[in-house]
Amino acid sequence: MTTKIFLEWFERYFVREARAHCTSAGLNPDCKIVLLLDNCLSHPDAVLLVKDNVVALYLPPNCTSLIQPCDQGILRSMKCKYRSAFMHHVLLAVNNGKDIQTIQKEFTLKDAIWTVAKGWVAVTPSTLKNGWHKLWPQLMFADSVDDGEEADFKGFQISQKKAVVSELMEYASSLVNPKAEEMVRNVGEDNLMEWLDADQDAPTVHQMTEAEIVEMVKNGGNTPADINGKDSENESYEDVAKIQE
């Protein structure tokens, strides 16, 4: 994420879609809309996020892990479900006789986006609701958890991750090609569980050094990574490649 991209998203998409949502909900066509943000370095100053009675407010600094709803298990649940869907894709491809290198070349950014969407749809309403408990404690006592859904507001519990890993192992063993089951068994359940939380503490913003900024200006706005190629694309497949080995 960059400030430029965020401003473009705010002006071209958020304002329009938020206004359309309010109108469809029967609210005043010119009602006030507030966009709540965390203190990510790529987010612009709030004074720049004002348009058509839409304003932005920032949550208090250094409290993301304490009160921000998406950090109370929602994002972790979505990422875990994404990885589960991705591994299903890999196992099915291996079952069809493809190797990891081929899968890597064929799995596009569009495929990744659709897999993220699939993971997001799989997040239960109870997980979304429970993510607000620290910020809005009264919700805990509003009503009971939806029938048939487990509460995971304390993060994606170990027991649930074990269930995901167990399901992957069972799925692999159900495939015709024995290489699929061999692949997940070689890496082991413990490593699979660790993989489900692989980027839990990964940074979301890269602060460029002075040397990187100078290099970018010298190269017409391109970063060294842009010039050297898409090296970062291989990072997502390192764990899977190890499984294959």
Side-chain angles (χ1 to χ4, degrees):
M1 178 56 65
T2 66
T3 301
K4 181 180 178 181
I5 293 175
F6 192 92
L7 283 170
E8 181 180 353
W9 168 79
F10 176 79
E11 294 178 0
R12 294 182 57 184
Y13 298 96
F14 176 77
V15 173
R16 180 182 61 191
E17 294 178 12
R19 182 64 62 196
H21 169 74
C22 291
T23 300
S24 67
L27 300 176
N28 188 308
D30 194 39
C31 67
K32 293 181 179 180
I33 297 175
V34 178
L35 172 62
L36 292 176
L37 297 170
D38 63 7
N39 291 269
C40 177
L41 292 174
S42 61
H43 292 167
D45 193 286
V47 297
L48 300 176
L49 300 174
V50 179
K51 183 177 181 181
D52 300 337
N53 219 14
V54 178
V55 298
L57 293 177
Y58 280 93
L59 293 169
N62 304 317
C63 66
T64 296
S65 62
L66 301 176
I67 66 171
Q68 189 168 322
C70 279
D71 280 274
Q72 308 307 315
I74 296 175
L75 287 178
R76 181 174 293 185
S77 176
M78 184 273 287
K79 289 180 180 180
C80 188
K81 294 177 189 299
Y82 165 84
R83 282 189 166 83
S84 175
F86 172 74
M87 186 56 75
H88 274 80
H89 170 85
V90 171
L91 290 172
L92 183 60
V94 171
N95 185 61
N96 292 330
K98 296 181 180 179
D99 56 26
I100 294 298
Q101 289 71 26
T102 301
I103 298 170
Q104 175 182 344
K105 293 178 180 178
E106 295 180 350
F107 195 81
T108 66
L109 181 59
K110 182 179 180 180
D111 294 325
I113 292 173
W114 278 111
T115 308
V116 169
K118 185 176 181 179
W120 176 247
V121 170
V123 176
T124 64
S126 62
T127 298
L128 297 174
K129 178 180 176 182
N130 290 327
W132 288 84
H133 283 176
K134 288 188 177 180
L135 191 63
W136 193 353
Q138 290 85 346
L139 282 179
M140 284 190 287
F141 311 103
D143 51 28
S144 59
V145 176
D146 298 332
D147 292 338
E149 295 177 344
E150 296 182 4
D152 52 357
F153 59 91
K154 292 184 179 179
F156 208 80
Q157 303 294 336
I158 293 178
S159 60
Q160 293 174 307
K161 288 197 292 184
K162 284 185 176 179
V164 171
V165 171
S166 177
E167 194 275 332
L168 284 173
M169 303 287 283
E170 183 177 345
Y171 176 71
S173 64
S174 70
L175 298 175
V176 177
N177 193 331
K179 287 186 177 180
E181 182 177 10
E182 181 183 353
M183 188 176 72
V184 294
R185 293 204 178 279
N186 282 345
V187 71
E189 294 187 17
D190 290 342
N191 287 333
L192 278 174
M193 287 188 63
E194 184 178 349
W195 178 66
L196 291 175
D197 272 337
D199 65 349
Q200 182 179 349
D201 299 317
T204 57
V205 176
H206 171 64
Q207 287 185 278
M208 298 181 66
T209 63
E210 291 184 359
E212 288 175 323
I213 295 173
V214 170
E215 192 69 23
M216 184 177 68
V217 173
K218 287 168 58 179
N219 291 286
N222 293 316
T223 64
D226 295 328
I227 298 170
N228 295 331
K230 302 178 180 179
D231 296 337
S232 61
E233 291 182 0
N234 296 326
E235 295 177 0
S236 299
Y237 297 91
E238 289 181 356
D239 292 324
V240 179
K242 291 178 181 177
I243 295 175
Q244 180 75 350
E245 293 172 0

